[in-house]
Amino acid sequence: MPYKILILGASYGSLLGTKFLAAGHDVTLVCRDKTAALINGKGTEVRIKLRDEDNHRSILSGDLDGTLDAQTPQDAQPQEYDLVCLAMQEPQYSHPSLRELLAKVAEARVPCMSIMNMPPLPYMRRIPDLDCTPLGGAYQDPDIWTKFDPALMTLCSPDPQAFRPPEEEANVLHVGLPTNFKVTRFHDTKADAMLAELEQGILDYRIDGKDVPVKLRAFDSLFVPFAKWAMLATGNYRCIQPGDPIAIRDAVHGDLDKSRAIYGAVNDLVVGLGAEPEDMVPFEKYARAAEGLLKPSSAARAIAAGAPAIERVDKLILLITQSLGQNNADLAATVELVDRKLAENQQKAS
């Protein structure tokens, strides 16, 4: 059966939206007025490279079985949808219009799937025996998440890499690394049945009889999306330097022993919370992949461009570590530096 899916965020969210449209579901993207008008007039275009092909294919929303529209936060009515996907950066939800929309989502009790790197607080509350009280300091505004039922919130690791080409209009998305979305099941019969249908529909979609990368994969483990934490702590946040940002490759390979120690400590933390060791990605595999990551992370670029707030997975990891009575001096140094850089940006913005 076709589902109605509301996606908050029309940039990266258009990738997931395109996958749902291809599977025959109806999608509404929530975005600003100008972008909504563009998408309603022209649809979306997602460029993706199929296996063994040299050039990207353009997948146009108008050619797919599902229907697409775009709305502003003020116009969105979440109670009319079967699933809400959170595809913006966590600090963006502090905007008054988005705060109001999230309150409507919580009140409507619609299942939510976050594709942020930063897990929403209601998802953290699903982790057995974890005291979430000290974790609010990692969030731009933790009160936003108070009314959400943890049983209706799941997390999807946003592993595919995609960006809007700067020379193109805002309805175009280019997929650079077509890996899978990995989502934790809700552990609710009805919601998980919906996830299974979405997963299968995306799996079945073909272009000219060919398999299309970027699947949705569902897992029972709460911790599969946390496999990315060690990568973020070791590479992405350590791109942030007192001066100009450095490439992820240089952050990881500049001091490989220190990188291995940070990576191992974060993986050990996640395993200590309840993950199976096989949920984690080995450091050697990540280090090899990092050799090809020649640009600073998006977080580092955002700070360099003057952003006063970014997603703070680094601080979340540190607060969890400290709440368990543990210490990680290297991670603490990174968090302190990011705090200082953001404070400087906030001061300049004011």
Side-chain angles (χ1 to χ4, degrees):
M1 61 171 281
Y3 290 103
K4 293 187 64 178
I5 301 169
L6 183 69
I7 300 180
L8 278 58
S11 179
Y12 192 71
S14 67
L15 173 57
L16 187 62
T18 291
K19 305 303 290 188
F20 290 146
L21 291 167
H25 305 287
D26 299 330
V27 173
T28 296
L29 297 174
V30 174
C31 49
R32 297 175 180 172
D33 289 349
K34 184 177 179 180
T35 305
L38 175 64
I39 291 172
N40 286 329
K42 295 186 176 181
T44 58
E45 177 182 349
V46 171
R47 296 171 183 167
I48 193 166
K49 188 181 290 187
L50 305 190
R51 190 184 304 276
D52 300 325
E53 291 193 357
D54 295 329
N55 299 315
H56 281 68
R57 299 274 196 127
S58 287
I59 304 177
L60 305 177
S61 59
D63 294 339
L64 303 175
D65 289 342
T67 59
L68 175 70
D69 73 311
Q71 298 179 357
T72 63
Q74 295 87 344
D75 292 334
Q77 301 297 324
Q79 70 276 7
E80 298 177 359
Y81 294 84
D82 302 297
L83 178 69
V84 173
C85 298
L86 308 179
M88 296 180 181
Q89 295 283 308
E90 183 265 332
Q92 292 180 269
Y93 294 108
S94 297
H95 187 279
S97 64
L98 290 166
R99 284 178 60 98
E100 183 178 346
L101 177 54
L102 280 186
K104 292 179 181 179
V105 173
E107 183 179 355
R109 295 186 58 79
V110 182
C112 293
M113 181 172 75
S114 171
I115 59 170
M116 299 186 289
N117 278 323
M118 188 71 170
L121 264 174
Y123 186 82
M124 298 304 298
R125 295 189 181 108
R126 291 181 61 184
I127 299 174
D129 303 320
L130 178 65
D131 180 9
C132 293
T133 307
L135 307 185
Y139 293 82
Q140 185 74 10
D141 186 353
D143 292 341
I144 288 173
W145 308 104
T146 302
K147 295 182 179 179
F148 280 87
D149 183 351
L152 296 174
M153 179 69 72
T154 196
L155 183 64
C156 183
S157 184
D159 291 348
Q161 295 180 10
F163 62 93
R164 282 177 170 171
E167 72 279 5
E168 302 278 6
E169 292 186 293
N171 62 330
V172 177
L173 191 76
H174 184 94
V175 180
L177 182 64
T179 50
N180 294 327
F181 288 105
K182 297 190 286 288
V183 62
T184 294
R185 294 185 176 92
F186 289 95
H187 302 149
D188 170 86
T189 302
K190 183 178 179 181
D192 286 343
M194 175 175 61
L195 274 185
E197 288 189 49
L198 296 173
E199 181 179 18
Q200 189 61 49
I202 291 170
L203 183 66
D204 291 342
Y205 177 65
R206 296 288 187 273
I207 295 178
D208 296 337
K210 296 183 178 182
D211 180 71
V212 182
V214 185
K215 307 292 195 301
L216 180 69
R217 300 292 192 187
F219 297 84
D220 282 326
S221 172
L222 291 167
F223 304 99
V224 166
F226 293 173
K228 199 171 183 179
W229 281 9
M231 305 175 199
L232 296 172
T234 306
N236 295 49
Y237 286 101
R238 290 173 66 228
C239 293
I240 300 165
Q241 298 287 307
D244 293 333
I246 61 175
I248 293 177
R249 178 194 61 185
D250 299 331
V252 175
H253 288 271
D255 187 337
L256 207 57
D257 288 339
K258 179 179 283 190
S259 294
R260 183 180 287 104
I262 294 170
Y263 195 94
V266 175
N267 271 358
D268 288 346
L269 175 70
V270 176
V271 171
L273 291 175
E276 297 295 333
E278 53 266 29
D279 290 340
M280 303 294 101
V281 177
F283 173 73
E284 289 72 20
K285 182 176 181 179
Y286 170 65
R288 287 195 299 271
E291 291 175 353
L293 301 177
L294 306 181
K295 295 181 180 179
S297 65
S298 59
R301 296 197 305 271
I303 287 180
I310 61 170
E311 289 187 343
R312 296 302 307 274
V313 182
D314 62 324
K315 181 174 279 191
L316 179 65
I317 298 168
L318 181 63
L319 291 176
I320 294 172
T321 301
Q322 293 172 340
S323 74
L324 297 175
Q326 302 171 16
N327 184 43
N328 186 324
D330 291 322
L331 182 59
T334 296
V335 169
E336 182 180 358
L337 174 61
V338 177
D339 282 344
R340 185 166 70 250
K341 300 283 281 190
L342 289 173
E344 292 171 357
N345 286 351
Q346 290 165 4
Q347 187 173 16
K348 291 176 183 176
S350 62

